[in-house]
Amino acid sequence: MEIWINPACSKCRSALTLLDAEGAGYTVRRYLDDVPSQDEIRSVLERLGLEPWDITRTQEAAAKELGLKDWPREEGARDRWIAALAEHPELIQRPIITADDGSAVVGRTEEAVREALSRSRS
């Protein structure tokens, strides 16, 4: 299991605390320092079953500078969104947990983190 975190994020710290309390084995990826490639973002999106705009933090300064709220949310614009996430990783929603069964969750709630745990233990 891998978890993409920003150490300054309270949701990320809560997810790590829960994983530790459950004795889960995981790898931490500080995705602002170890920026995911476009292909890695595509892979995680597939595992999440989401589109890039679904995991974009649209209130960040970079999102406003890019004018993301006006970007089309359709298949033809998908690569543009993915490129923006790779170029501006602070726009990626966090934490993202990839489970051992090939799925992934955005672990912003205790329930989502527990779901990733259950998928990694099955």
Side-chain angles (χ1 to χ4, degrees):
M1 186 166 39
E2 182 176 80
I3 180 168
W4 292 8
I5 68 156
N6 172 351
C9 168
S10 64
K11 300 283 186 186
C12 294
R13 291 191 307 270
S14 294
L16 291 174
T17 298
L18 179 55
L19 292 174
D20 289 342
E22 293 292 325
Y26 61 89
T27 302
V28 170
R29 180 171 187 170
R30 293 179 179 217
Y31 71 95
L32 296 178
D33 300 323
D34 182 6
V35 178
S37 68
Q38 290 185 34
D39 286 341
E40 288 175 305
I41 293 169
R42 280 187 192 88
S43 175
V44 162
L45 286 167
E46 186 175 317
R47 292 174 80 165
L48 287 165
L50 296 173
E51 293 297 336
W53 44 86
D54 296 327
I55 66 161
T56 300
R57 297 173 55 86
T58 57
Q59 298 304 311
E60 294 289 329
K64 292 175 181 173
E65 288 170 21
L66 293 168
L68 285 181
K69 69 178 180 65
D70 298 323
W71 287 17
R73 295 177 182 223
E74 59 193 26
E75 182 63 32
R78 195 168 196 269
D79 286 343
R80 181 181 181 196
W81 282 85
I82 291 169
L85 292 173
E87 190 171 326
H88 304 278
E90 70 274 15
L91 296 176
I92 300 172
Q93 191 59 262
R94 62 197 182 236
I96 293 178
I97 304 170
T98 55
D100 294 341
D101 71 351
S103 65
V105 299
V106 178
R108 294 192 58 76
T109 65
E110 181 178 334
E111 294 77 23
V113 176
R114 289 192 181 284
E115 181 181 337
L117 274 168
S118 70
R119 290 178 179 181
S120 288
R121 292 182 173 162
S122 359

